[in-house]
C-alpha cells in the first residue's frame, strides 16, 4: 500500500466562507484517521481554531493589521513561508495543500515550495467575478491582482482541486498536462451552527420569510432577487430577508418592513435561528463556482430556488427549483411556485466526508 501521505494544509486568507470551507476539509481528513497538520491565519471576528478538531497539529497566528503587514501578506508572505518549511521539515511532510487562495505565494516562494513538495492548490474561481459598480479603485485593483495570482498559482502547483465539476473540466481543457481532481464540497454546517441557540435581534417575532444568505455582491444576483420579490406580490404573504455583510449597490425600499436587510457578519451560533425560521432559501447568482449555502439549507430541511449554473445543477435535490441565470421573470415565477411547495415536508441531509477524503487522497498521490 505504500507510505501514507503526510499533508500540511495551509489556510492564510480567513473570511466568513473560507474558514468553514477549509476547516471542513481539514476535519474530514483528520476524522478519516490521518495524522493532520494545519497552518492558519485568523482574523479578529473568527478563527480556524474554533472549528478545527482537537488532535490536529495546528499552527495559528493573528492576521495582519498594519498596512505594512497587509502588503507583506499579499505580496511577500515570508513568515508563512518560513513556518511552512519549518513544519514540513520537522514532520516529513510530502504534500502542501493551499486551501484559501494563498495569493502571496504567486510572487514569493511558490515555485520553491513546488520544487520541494507536491503542491496542491484548491481553485475557487477560474473566472473573475463581476465587480460591484460602486467598488472603490483600490478594491478593483486588488481583485485584479488576486485573479492574476490565482492563475499563476494554478500554473505553479502540481495538482489542482475544485468542488466544481464544470471548473475541473475547464482547467483540464486549458491546462491539459495538469493533474486536476474533483472533490465534494465540504459541508459548512459546523458544530457551532448545529448547536447554536442565539437568536437574531433583527428578526425578533419574524418567520416564514424568503432568505438570501451570503456576502452582498453583484454576482450573487441580490438586485435581481429584490426585483423578483416585488414583482411576485409575495410581500403580501411573507418578507424577504437579505442577510450578509456588503456594500449596498442598488435602491431598495425597506420602509414597510417587507424587505429586511441585515448588513453584518452573522455568527455561527445565529445561523440555526436564521435558517429554521425561513420558508425557503434563494440563491439567485448570475455567476458561481461553488457555494456552501445549499448545504446549510438542506441540513435544516429547507428547499432552495437557485439559478441553473453548473454547481447548483450538480448539488440541488428533487425538492429544489432552478431558473435561468439573470432571468427576473423566471425567478419571479419560481418564487411564487416555491412559496406553495415549501409548505411540503423536505428531508434533511448529512455530510459527504467519506467521498471527499477519498477524492483528496487521489490528489496527494
Amino acid at each position: 500500500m505504500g507510505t501514507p501521505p503526510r499533508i500540511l494544509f495551509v489556510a492564510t486568507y480567513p473570511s466568513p466562507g473560507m474558514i468553514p470551507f477549509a476547516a471542513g476539509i481539514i476535519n474530514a481528513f483528520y476524522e478519516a484517521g490521518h495524522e493532520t497538520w494545519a497552518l492558519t491565519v485568523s482574523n479578529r471576528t473568527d478563527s480556524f481554531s474554533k472549528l478545527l478538531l482537537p488532535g490536529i497539529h495546528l499552527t495559528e497566528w493573528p492576521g495582519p493589521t498594519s498596512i505594512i503587514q497587509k502588503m507583506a501578506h499579499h505580496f511577500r508572505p515570508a513568515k508563512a513561508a518560513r513556518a511552512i518549511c519549518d513544519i514540513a521539515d520537522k514532520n516529513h511532510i510530502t504534500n502542501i495543500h493551499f486551501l484559501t487562495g494563498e495569493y502571496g505565494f504567486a510572487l514569493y516562494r511558490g515555485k520553491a515550495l513546488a520544487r520541494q513538495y507536491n503542491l496542491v492548490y484548491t481553485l475557487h474561481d477560474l473566472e473573475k467575478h463581476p465587480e460591484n459598480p460602486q467598488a472603490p479603485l483600490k478594491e478593483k485593483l486588488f481583485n485584479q491582482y488576486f485573479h492574476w495570482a490565482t492563475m499563476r498559482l494554478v500554473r505553479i502547483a502540481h495538482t489542482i482541486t475544485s468542488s466544481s465539476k464544470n471548473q475541473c473540466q475547464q482547467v483540464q481543457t486549458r491546462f491539459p498536462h495538469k493533474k486536476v481532481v474533483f472533490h465534494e464540497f465540504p459541508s459548512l454546517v459546523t458544530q457551532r451552527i448545529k448547536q447554536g441557540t442565539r437568536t437574531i435581534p433583527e428578526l425578533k417575532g419574524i418567520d416564514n420569510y424568503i432568505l438570501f444568505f451570503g456576502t452582498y455582491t453583484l454576482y450573487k444576483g441580490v438586485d435581481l432577487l429584490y426585483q423578483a420579490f416585488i414583482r411576485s406580490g409575495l410581500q403580501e404573504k411573507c418578507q424577504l430577508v437579505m442577510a450578509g455583510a456588503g456594500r449596498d449597490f442598488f435602491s431598495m425600499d425597506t420602509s414597510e418592513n417587507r424587505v429586511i436587510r441585515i448588513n453584518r457578519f452573522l455568527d455561527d451560533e445565529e445561523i440555526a435561528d436564521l435558517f429554521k425560521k425561513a420558508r425557503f432559501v434563494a440563491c439567485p447568482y448570475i455567476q458561481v463556482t461553488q457555494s456552501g449555502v445549499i448545504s446549510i439549507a438542506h441540513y435544516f430541511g429547507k428547499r432552495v430556488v437557485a439559478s441553473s449554473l453548473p454547481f447548483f445543477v450538480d448539488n440541488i435535490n428533487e425538492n429544489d427549483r432552478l431558473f435561468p441565470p439573470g432571468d427576473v421573470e423566471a425567478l419571479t415565477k419560481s418564487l411564487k411556485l416555491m412559496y406553495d411547495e415549501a409548505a411540503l415536508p423536505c428531508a434533511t441531509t448529512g455530510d459527504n466526508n467519506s467521498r471527499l477524503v477519498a477524492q483528496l487522497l487521489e490528489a496527494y498521490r
Side-chain angles (χ1 to χ4, degrees):
M1 295 179 62
T3 304
R6 296 171 72 83
I7 316 302
L8 170 59
F9 293 101
V10 179
T12 61
Y13 274 80
S15 69
M18 285 291 193
I19 289 176
F21 173 87
I25 289 177
I26 298 168
N27 285 338
F29 196 74
Y30 175 73
E31 287 182 308
H34 300 281
E35 192 169 11
T36 305
W37 290 262
L39 171 66
T40 66
V41 172
S42 293
N43 57 30
R44 294 176 181 175
T45 58
D46 213 340
S47 69
F48 289 94
S49 59
K50 291 181 180 179
L51 301 184
L52 293 177
L53 296 170
I56 293 171
H57 304 296
L58 174 64
T59 301
E60 182 175 52
W61 63 74
T65 54
S66 71
I67 293 177
I68 293 176
Q69 289 174 337
K70 290 178 181 178
M71 294 300 285
H73 184 63
H74 294 318
F75 299 102
R76 195 177 187 274
K79 182 178 180 181
R82 288 194 298 270
I84 288 172
C85 292
D86 184 54
I87 296 169
D89 290 346
K90 289 180 179 178
N91 299 286
H92 308 290
I93 296 298
T94 57
N95 295 260
I96 294 173
H97 190 161
F98 286 172
L99 287 172
T100 60
E102 283 50 78
Y103 309 108
F105 289 94
L107 291 172
Y108 183 79
R109 297 286 291 169
K111 281 189 173 181
L113 291 173
R115 285 194 294 267
Q116 291 178 268
Y117 310 99
N118 179 35
L119 184 59
V120 180
Y121 187 69
T122 290
L123 177 61
H124 293 275
D125 296 300
L126 182 64
E127 302 298 336
K128 188 168 171 283
H129 289 308
E131 293 174 332
N132 290 348
Q134 298 175 0
L137 179 60
K138 176 184 175 182
E139 181 178 320
K140 293 179 180 179
L141 290 174
F142 265 110
N143 287 340
Q144 190 66 38
Y145 166 69
F146 291 149
H147 180 65
W148 173 86
T150 295
M151 298 313 299
R152 180 169 171 80
L153 285 166
V154 167
R155 292 180 174 89
I156 291 172
H158 302 104
T159 303
I160 305 302
T161 73
S162 174
S163 296
S164 166
K165 294 177 182 178
N166 179 262
Q167 183 165 256
C168 284
Q169 293 169 358
Q170 292 183 50
V171 174
Q172 199 69 82
T173 299
R174 291 172 63 171
F175 304 95
H177 302 297
K178 187 74 64 177
K179 183 176 181 180
V180 181
V181 175
F182 166 81
H183 65 75
E184 302 288 338
F185 193 91
S187 173
L188 300 194
V189 184
T190 66
Q191 287 300 314
R192 292 183 68 224
I193 289 178
K194 293 177 182 178
Q195 299 168 6
T197 58
R198 285 175 56 184
T199 58
I200 298 174
E202 297 94 333
L203 298 178
K204 185 177 181 180
I206 299 171
D207 60 9
N208 198 44
Y209 45 78
I210 300 170
L211 173 64
F212 169 86
F213 173 63
T215 307
Y216 208 70
T217 55
L218 178 66
Y219 77 87
K220 293 189 177 181
V222 288
D223 54 334
L224 307 180
L225 176 59
Y226 174 75
Q227 293 175 38
F229 178 69
I230 297 302
R231 292 185 188 186
S232 71
L234 288 174
Q235 58 268 37
E236 298 178 3
K237 299 179 179 180
C238 67
Q239 290 154 296
L240 172 64
V241 172
M242 307 177 88
R247 185 182 295 105
D248 292 327
F249 59 91
F250 66 95
S251 298
M252 185 166 55
D253 181 8
T254 59
S255 59
E256 296 185 6
N257 206 34
R258 305 315 293 169
V259 178
I260 300 172
R261 173 81 173 96
I262 305 176
N263 190 354
R264 65 176 177 86
F265 171 79
L266 274 74
D267 189 87
D268 274 6
E269 293 185 359
E270 297 178 291
I271 301 302
D273 183 55
L274 179 70
F275 276 80
K276 285 179 179 178
K277 295 195 300 188
R279 190 172 182 89
F280 64 91
V281 177
C283 297
Y285 297 38
I286 58 174
Q287 185 184 37
V288 69
T289 302
Q290 53 199 17
S291 170
V293 176
I294 287 183
S295 68
I296 302 175
H298 287 168
Y299 176 81
F300 288 106
K302 300 300 178 180
R303 297 170 186 252
V304 176
V305 169
S307 50
S308 55
L309 295 166
F311 179 83
F312 291 143
V313 172
D314 290 339
N315 288 276
I316 64 163
N317 61 34
E318 67 276 6
N319 298 306
D320 302 324
R321 277 193 168 274
L322 293 170
F323 70 95
D327 189 333
V328 177
E329 291 300 326
L331 174 54
T332 302
K333 181 179 179 181
S334 293
L335 293 180
K336 293 164 73 173
L337 291 170
M338 183 58 81
Y339 181 84
D340 295 326
E341 293 170 356
L344 302 174
C346 179
T348 59
T349 59
D351 62 46
N352 48 17
N353 285 350
S354 59
R355 293 198 305 273
L356 187 156
V357 172
Q359 293 157 343
L360 285 177
L361 287 173
E362 178 60 30
Y364 304 143
R365 290 191 177 96

